[in-house]
Amino acid sequence: VTQLMLAAALHDRGDHNAALELRERTLATLLHHGADASVLVQSAQEALARSLRAVGQRRRSLEIYALVVDRWRRQFGADAELTLVAELGLAITRYADEDNAGALAQVEQLLPRLAGDPDGLHALTAATIRGNALFGLGRLPEARAALEAAHAAAVRTLGPDHSAALDVLDSLIYVLRAQGELRPAYDLAVDSLARHARRLGDDHPLTLLCTHHVARLEGALGDWPSALARARKAADAARARLGPRHPFALGLRLEAGIAAMEVGELREARADLLEAADLLEATAGPEHPTTLRARATLAQLALLTGDAATSRDQLTRLHAEAARRLGDDHPEVLTLRNNLGL
């Protein structure tokens, strides 16, 4: 129990790899002592699933969450808090794995069961997942309405600096950016970054994720030198804190490569983009939106270096793969289509 509590503290502090290692070791010890059916083991497995999701091992996380949900349902019933929390974790992981339709279906089954406490933390988490899944399905007006309502409720009941309120705010930033409202999205991202840094420190994973948002929006607004400096500094911090294969480190390395390309540092851009694309393909899979974005940027880089035919062939292939995996209305698919002039 003490080891699980220590692992939870490490996870909350942002030491995801250390938390994962300790949770794996603790679970193995419990199973070695024959406690495979105990509540403690199921709790340890659920905690392990959270750690796996945090470091990008989503498929294994999904398998464990599904197992835990089934066991909690059979042992305590569908409406028990343990079951509801595990189902929320499963829905979050489905969204992280780009199963937006599955995440939406699951969370819409959950919300009526959480109606007794509509402003409670579980209901707010479910509402946030719903907004995120709608965004992933390209239903931007619905996503924005859902996330704005969830953010207002979180601020009202928990305060603007609570982690749940900040989670919703960060999701809303994605939607605003996708709708082309870049300046409002940037202002919210800067505010979110300041709040995260004040609460958690500059090198906490969630602060680094906010830094990624700000850098991407700086680039979208045309300030590529600032985007490059911010992304490179944060990418180095994420690599040192989380390791080179962590999703946040890879996202920032990708952002640095994009910014380097835009300011004309093509050799540096190629190095950053190749590293990000190869590691993303190995960790998140070839059809994950961030992997596709990295490969699409490499195709754009080929165009800048004079290889127009290769660039178009790569973009055409990536568009077909993305549309098959994510659907025609996903934001990354729309970006690829725009790059092809379709």
Side-chain angles (χ1 to χ4, degrees):
V1 172
T2 303
Q3 285 183 312
L4 289 174
M5 292 173 63
L6 176 58
L10 289 169
H11 184 91
D12 291 344
R13 197 174 70 183
D15 293 335
H16 293 161
N17 293 318
L20 173 60
E21 181 181 349
L22 183 54
R23 283 168 168 167
E24 293 250 40
R25 192 165 66 244
T26 304
L27 180 60
T29 301
L30 287 168
L31 293 174
H32 176 73
H33 289 288
D36 58 298
S38 72
V39 171
L40 182 58
V41 166
Q42 304 315 312
S43 298
Q45 287 181 319
E46 187 174 349
L48 176 61
R50 285 197 298 274
S51 282
L52 290 166
R53 183 179 67 224
V55 301
Q57 296 186 38
R58 300 181 185 93
R59 296 301 170 89
R60 190 175 167 208
S61 177
L62 282 169
E63 292 172 0
I64 295 174
Y65 265 124
L67 177 66
V68 171
V69 167
D70 179 65
R71 289 185 176 174
W72 285 151
R73 276 178 171 269
R74 286 190 282 108
Q75 191 166 356
F76 298 109
D79 293 329
E81 184 172 7
L82 285 171
T83 308
L84 295 172
V85 171
E87 287 193 53
L88 283 171
L90 180 58
I92 293 170
T93 310
R94 280 180 169 159
Y95 168 72
D97 197 47
E98 293 300 324
D99 180 9
N100 295 299
L104 181 61
Q106 183 173 0
V107 83
E108 288 188 336
Q109 291 179 351
L110 269 171
L111 281 167
R113 291 149 59 194
L114 297 167
D117 187 15
D119 289 338
L121 185 58
H122 297 334
L124 290 172
T125 301
T128 304
I129 302 167
R130 180 175 180 272
N132 289 340
L134 288 167
F135 167 75
L137 292 168
R139 294 159 60 176
L140 300 186
E142 293 174 81
R144 180 170 180 173
L147 291 170
E148 286 178 337
H151 184 248
V155 169
R156 182 176 65 251
T157 58
L158 303 170
D161 288 336
H162 192 279
S163 59
L166 292 173
D167 285 347
V168 188
L169 181 61
D170 293 340
S171 296
L172 184 57
I173 290 165
Y174 278 111
V175 177
L176 291 174
R177 187 182 68 214
Q179 290 184 315
E181 297 189 28
L182 299 180
R183 179 57 63 178
Y186 174 78
D187 291 341
L188 288 178
V190 169
D191 178 60
S192 179
L193 175 58
R195 292 178 186 276
H196 276 92
R198 186 168 61 247
R199 289 181 63 248
L200 304 171
D202 291 336
D203 66 343
H204 190 280
L206 294 178
T207 308
L208 293 170
L209 180 61
C210 292
T211 305
H212 184 185
H213 292 165
V214 174
R216 188 170 182 180
L217 285 160
E218 283 176 330
L221 289 165
D223 189 358
W224 288 109
S226 292
L228 177 57
R230 189 185 299 275
R232 274 189 176 159
K233 181 179 178 180
D236 290 342
R239 188 186 187 103
R241 175 76 183 269
L242 305 170
R245 298 168 70 89
H246 193 281
F248 294 174
L250 292 174
L252 284 160
R253 185 62 60 192
L254 169 58
E255 216 58 55
I258 293 170
M261 182 180 71
E262 292 290 343
V263 301
E265 298 181 9
L266 301 187
R267 182 179 299 176
E268 293 84 352
R270 180 173 175 78
D272 283 335
L273 292 170
L274 277 173
E275 177 185 0
D278 289 346
L279 287 175
L280 281 164
E281 190 161 319
T283 56
E287 295 181 334
H288 191 275
T290 311
T291 308
L292 292 169
R293 184 168 177 246
R295 293 295 181 198
T297 308
L298 279 168
Q300 291 174 301
L301 184 61
L303 179 62
L304 290 177
T305 56
D307 195 349
T310 296
S311 176
R312 186 165 186 85
D313 287 347
Q314 290 177 348
L315 286 171
T316 300
R317 176 178 56 80
L318 288 167
H319 176 262
E321 291 176 1
R324 184 186 69 253
R325 172 75 167 86
L326 305 172
D328 290 333
D329 294 326
H330 190 280
E332 292 298 342
V333 178
L334 296 175
T335 299
L336 284 165
R337 189 179 304 158
N338 181 64
N339 289 339
L340 282 165
L342 299 177

